[in-house]
């Protein structure tokens, strides 16, 4: 049986480029363009474009005209960083104490959502999910919340590939418009008849970064739906405020005005 060849670690060009791209973007809060990345790496734009598209697809970068770090980086780092997960944990615990249903913090990783943090209900019958589990953006209810706030180009391309039926695609599109207007999405009874849930978006500096979810059996969720909606939306709004602090200068200006 062949044995693995031993030897010193050697640099791999593609791996090095991936790591360098992530490091460059991490040091650039305003993001970097493809041209800037190409110049920094002294590599053809076509080669760098191929890599960054893969990083966007897996959630490690976000493309908003410039490339910034994506939620998969925060999911990888977890509670060891000043991440959305760490900041959201008290809000999740408060919702769990109030309703004793499963509470989730969802991040987007490319064309999937990832459960970055979960607190399960203590009840025998409950929605069960583990940190790190992934689900597609559609038809998951948290994923539809992400789709509602994604760029129109990405949303239309994703729905066209995912839903070839034009009538269904039109209905989903209308639902996403409503979610963006209302600021909340609900578990789809056609997809999961026995599951109820409320999902609210969390933003950082105007960018949608997470979804806060409370989910459980429909028999318990439905009677409390309006109360749950208000509580989850309020907690998500509070997280948005924590993730987008007012600058010292803005506070000073408001004080003097």
């Amino acid at each position: 049986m062949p044995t693995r060849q031993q030897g010193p670690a050697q640099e791999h060009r593609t791996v090095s480029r991936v790591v360098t791209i992530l490091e460059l973007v991490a040091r650039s809060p305003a993001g970097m363009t493809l041209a800037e990345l190409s110049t920094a790496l002294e590599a053809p734009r076509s080669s760098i474009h191929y890599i960054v598209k893969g990083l966007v697809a897996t959630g490690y970068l976000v493309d908003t005209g410039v490339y910034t770090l994506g939620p998969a980086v925060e999911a990888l780092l977890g509670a060891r960083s000043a991440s959305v997960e760490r900041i959201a944990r008290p809000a999740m615990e408060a919702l769990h104490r109030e309703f004793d249903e499963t509470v989730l913090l969802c991040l987007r990783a490319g064309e999937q959502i990832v459960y970055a943090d979960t607190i399960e209900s203590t009840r025998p019958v409950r929605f069960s999910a583990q940190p790190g589990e992934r689900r597609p953006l559609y038809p998951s209810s948290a994923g539809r919340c992400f789709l509602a706030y994604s760029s129109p180009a990405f949303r239309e391309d994703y729905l066209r590939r995912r839903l070839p039926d034009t009538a269904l695609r039109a209905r989903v599109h209308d639902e996403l418009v409503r979610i963006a207007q209302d600021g909340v999405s609900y578990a789809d009874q056609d997809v999961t008849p026995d599951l109820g849930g409320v999902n609210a978006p969390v933003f950082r500096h105007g960018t949608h970064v997470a979804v806060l979810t409370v989910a459980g059996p429909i028999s318990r969720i439905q009677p409390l739906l309006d109360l749950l909606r208000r509580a989850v939306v309020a907690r998500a709004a509070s997280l948005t405020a924590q993730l987008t602090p007012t600058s010292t200068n803005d506070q000073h200006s408001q004080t003097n005005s």
Side-chain angles (χ1 to χ4, degrees), residues 53-240:
K53 292 291 283 186
L55 289 170
V56 169
T58 51
Y60 284 89
L61 290 180
V62 173
D63 181 5
T64 58
V66 295
Y67 294 101
T68 56
L69 290 181
V73 174
E74 293 186 357
L76 181 66
L77 294 176
R80 291 175 294 177
S81 67
S83 60
V84 176
E85 296 98 300
R86 180 183 63 78
I87 295 171
R89 186 71 183 190
M92 295 176 64
E93 292 172 346
L95 287 169
H96 184 262
R97 285 193 301 271
E98 184 175 358
F99 298 103
D100 194 13
E101 298 293 355
T102 298
V103 184
L104 308 100
L105 182 73
C106 308
L107 304 181
R108 178 179 157 190
E111 296 188 356
Q112 297 178 313
I113 63 166
V114 57
Y115 297 142
D117 195 9
T118 66
I119 307 176
E120 289 198 1
S121 169
T122 63
R123 307 183 197 192
V125 180
R126 61 184 182 269
F127 177 67
S128 183
Q130 297 299 314
E133 286 187 27
R134 294 192 178 209
R135 297 287 186 271
L137 288 173
Y138 182 86
S140 67
S141 57
R144 282 183 276 123
C145 193
F146 276 109
L147 282 171
Y149 293 97
S150 63
S151 70
F154 171 83
R155 181 170 57 246
E156 296 307 319
D157 177 68
Y158 178 85
L159 293 177
R160 185 168 51 252
R161 289 185 287 107
R162 185 83 181 183
L163 303 174
D165 185 297
T166 54
L168 175 58
R169 190 162 68 242
R171 288 197 299 271
V172 171
H173 182 273
D174 290 343
E175 180 192 6
L176 298 180
V177 171
R178 180 198 61 75
I179 291 171
Q181 290 174 341
D182 296 347
V184 65
S185 70
Y186 303 95
D188 189 338
Q189 302 309 300
D190 292 333
V191 177
T192 51
D194 298 326
L195 180 67
V198 178
N199 312 270
V202 177
F203 299 87
R204 177 164 54 192
H205 297 292
T207 299
H208 185 206
V209 295
V211 170
L212 186 62
T213 298
V214 174
I218 188 64
S219 59
R220 294 202 303 258
I221 296 294
Q222 190 62 39
L224 299 174
L225 191 61
D226 191 54
L227 181 62
L228 269 168
R229 176 189 59 78
R230 292 197 302 269
V232 175
V233 168
R235 292 290 179 181
S238 177
L239 289 176
T240 294

Side-chain angles (χ1 to χ4, degrees), residues 12-24 41 48 51-52 55 60-61:
H12 188 284
R13 186 175 68 173
T14 301
V15 172
S16 296
R17 284 180 173 176
V18 169
V19 172
T20 301
I21 288 169
L22 292 174
E23 290 176 343
L24 287 168
L41 273 79
I48 302 305
I51 295 172
V52 296
L55 289 170
Y60 284 89
L61 290 180

